[in-house]
Amino acid sequence: MSQLPRLIAILTLLKSRRILTATELSEKYAVSIRTVYRDIQKLIEAGVPVITLEGRGYTLMDGYTVAPVQFTEKQANALITAHHLVTRTNDSSFLADFEEALTKIKSVFRSSILQKSELLHDKMHVFDTRIESISSNALSEIQLAITNFNYVEINYRKADDPNISFRKIEPCAIYSTENKWILIAWCHLRKDYRAFRIDRIQHFKILPEQFEDRKFSMERHFKDDAYGKEADNASIT
């Protein structure tokens, strides 16, 4: 890749990610770290406010904007495909936020790309074989609680259990399996990590108080066989 396309690619990455290291950029574009340093300097000389965080990497000054990027037809098709898959989610809040985001993205499509993407949309379908039709409306708020480290209070009902339990939790991570969203959180009632099906949360409240990051790792945690079994049970109950 020549320098100009690489500079544009680096700028796009900086806009889409909070921090990038020189090593990451070097490996991604198969260039030396010294070349990365020169690229960053070129961007700075061109007026791009790249900030160097000592020992961490590069980021852009808050509030900096660039002209809208142009999408290829294949990239637009990938977004349309993602839209079809996302519509199978059982969480209405997440679906609404995704559709609003996609509308903003499509606003920068060239007219020819937009026309073809709408044609593809009408010619695609994802069949859903789910038996359950339980829906939720909490995913978007819970995602914010995860990234902002806010405590959450929930009323939760397990499968085949008429009783509803109150929990104060620290939301750590989410995953999807069998078209169901699963929340992994530190439960103050159980004093341990627990898996909750989001569509079984009867009521939730995001608290303004923040908890200390427990440095939860999904990969590390699933290596624990006991927890793996519990998570599997939570995903189907």
Side-chain angles (χ1 to χ4, degrees):
M1 180 184 289
S2 60
Q3 187 183 54
L4 182 57
R6 191 172 63 248
L7 289 175
I8 295 173
I10 291 174
L11 179 54
T12 301
L13 277 178
L14 285 168
K15 282 295 296 178
S16 62
R17 296 177 58 180
R18 187 150 187 83
I19 298 175
L20 287 170
T21 67
T23 301
E24 285 178 301
L25 293 171
S26 172
E27 292 174 352
K28 183 174 181 63
Y29 299 111
V31 296
S32 67
I33 290 181
R34 185 178 295 276
T35 297
V36 172
Y37 293 156
R38 287 198 293 264
D39 287 346
I40 294 298
Q41 187 58 39
K42 283 286 186 182
L43 289 173
I44 294 173
E45 291 172 0
V48 178
V50 180
I51 299 173
T52 301
L53 303 175
E54 276 307 317
R56 298 178 64 190
Y58 304 108
T59 187
L60 286 179
M61 181 183 297
D62 286 343
Y64 177 72
T65 59
V66 294
V69 297
Q70 291 295 324
F71 291 86
T72 65
E73 185 175 349
K74 288 197 297 183
Q75 291 168 342
N77 289 347
L79 289 168
I80 296 302
T81 302
H83 185 207
H84 274 274
L85 295 174
V86 166
T87 57
R88 314 321 298 171
T89 183
N90 62 356
D91 189 275
S92 57
S93 65
F94 174 70
L95 178 58
D97 286 334
F98 181 88
E99 289 183 338
E100 288 182 9
L102 184 59
T103 297
K104 292 179 180 179
I105 293 172
K106 289 169 69 175
S107 69
V108 302
F109 283 1
R110 298 195 305 271
S111 58
S112 60
I113 297 294
L114 180 60
Q115 183 178 7
K116 290 180 179 179
S117 69
E118 291 176 345
L119 175 63
L120 180 64
H121 183 275
D122 294 337
K123 292 181 178 292
M124 287 188 67
H125 186 77
V126 177
F127 289 99
D128 192 348
T129 58
R130 286 180 300 171
I131 298 176
E132 291 184 281
S133 60
I134 302 174
S135 63
S136 61
N137 190 31
L139 182 59
S140 289
E141 293 296 325
I142 287 174
Q143 288 174 328
L144 290 178
I146 290 173
T147 57
N148 290 284
F149 303 100
N150 291 110
Y151 287 105
V152 180
E153 293 178 342
I154 63 172
N155 291 329
Y156 190 73
R157 183 180 65 81
K158 295 182 179 179
D160 304 319
D161 185 349
N163 298 313
I164 296 177
S165 63
F166 172 80
R167 311 285 185 99
K168 183 177 181 180
I169 61 174
E170 300 173 14
C172 299
I174 52 176
Y175 68 93
S176 178
T177 179
E178 299 176 355
N179 289 315
K180 303 176 184 69
W181 285 102
I182 312 299
L183 167 66
I184 300 176
W186 177 268
C187 178
H188 283 253
L189 178 65
R190 303 302 183 194
K191 305 299 182 185
D192 200 358
Y193 289 106
R194 287 292 185 268
F196 302 94
R197 266 182 53 174
I198 291 181
D199 58 11
R200 295 199 181 281
I201 295 177
Q202 304 295 300
H203 176 74
F204 71 94
K205 180 180 181 181
I206 311 295
L207 303 180
E209 294 82 11
Q210 294 178 305
F211 57 86
E212 186 176 348
D213 185 7
R214 294 179 183 269
K215 307 299 182 183
F216 175 85
S217 166
M218 184 87 78
E219 180 180 358
R220 184 175 65 246
H221 214 65
F222 271 111
K223 289 181 180 178
D224 185 334
D225 290 338
Y227 179 79
K229 292 177 181 178
E230 178 189 7
D232 286 343
N233 290 334
S235 69
I236 60 176
T237 56

